[in-house]
Amino acid sequence: EVQLLESGGGLVQPGGSLRLACAASRNYAMSWVRQAPGKGLEWVSAISHSGTSSYYADSVKGRFTISRDNSKNTLYLQMSSLRAEDTAVYYCARDRTLGTRPHDAFDIWGQGTMVTVSS
Amino acid sequence: SYELTQPLSVSVALGQTARITCGGSNIGSKNVHWYQQKPGQAPVLVIYRDSNRPSGIPERFSGSNSGSTATLTISRAQAGDEADYYCQVWDSSTVIFGGGTKLTVL
């Protein structure tokens, strides 16, 4: 059974940076989805299976960068200029359709990694 | 930007049928996906592309989508179905989630 495992979360000061990683599924588009404490799900970013195309929510555009290294089966989220409102559990999630741009449901989710932005 | 509207909460008696709606402009023209999330756990896909169940999801879960409303239906509700439910679509290469509905099984 395929499993996704996120890492890299932690406490960071406002304005700081952090890089999340996810042991991901090669050949599938992937996304990052976050959930602030007590709140709903918010999509953050997606990347095609090849890594050539990426997409961002307006709330993180220009501050976050999604990437992947398929040779290492790893997905990344580089977060910079972090704000208190970025505090959330960050999940990586797999697009259910093999080998396409991101466009389908998320069939597999990691357990999440907590990011806290606070001074 | 595109928005999805869900009721904050839905209650259902044990063994009865629960219906959770997801409203959006012409949502019937989009593929709607549904997730179940229990406290402290990651979301789980329960319906994809309007009405399809992933393997391992009970037949009690079904979905429909037409016009301006998509609906997740849970038949013969069980205590274990108590959770938050989210609808989701893709719009202009971005993902939109509904605000979530808390299902209470009485």
Side-chain angles (χ1 to χ4, degrees), chain A residues 34 42-44 56-61 63-64 83 86:
Chain A
R34 68 184 180 185
E42 180 189 15
W43 174 78
V44 173
Y56 297 93
D58 287 343
S59 58
V60 306
K61 201 172 293 183
R63 300 188 300 123
F64 291 11
R83 307 165 180 166
D86 295 317

Side-chain angles (χ1 to χ4, degrees), chain A:
Chain A
E1 181 181 337
V2 176
Q3 291 188 335
L4 303 178
L5 183 62
E6 302 94 340
S7 61
L11 175 64
V12 60
Q13 292 188 339
S17 298
L18 205 60
R19 188 177 80 159
L20 306 183
C22 168
S25 293
R26 188 186 312 191
N27 296 326
Y28 288 84
M30 298 290 297
S31 280
W32 288 97
V33 177
R34 68 184 180 185
Q35 187 169 36
K39 302 297 184 182
L41 301 174
E42 180 189 15
W43 174 78
V44 173
S45 182
I47 191 167
S48 61
H49 73 289
S50 63
T52 56
S53 298
S54 57
Y55 312 85
Y56 297 93
D58 287 343
S59 58
V60 306
K61 201 172 293 183
R63 300 188 300 123
F64 291 11
T65 301
I66 191 171
S67 62
R68 66 191 301 163
D69 184 340
N70 283 338
S71 67
K72 297 181 179 179
N73 287 349
T74 303
L75 173 73
Y76 301 100
L77 185 68
Q78 179 68 48
M79 304 184 294
S80 60
S81 302
L82 283 162
R83 307 165 180 166
E85 52 265 38
D86 295 317
T87 295
V89 174
Y90 284 73
Y91 297 100
C92 61
R94 191 184 84 168
D95 200 277
R96 64 173 293 278
T97 304
L98 178 68
T100 67
R101 62 179 174 80
H103 75 291
D104 208 340
F106 303 129
D107 65 342
I108 298 177
W109 296 64
Q111 283 305 301
T113 186
M114 183 70 202
V115 172
T116 303
V117 183
S118 174
S119 55

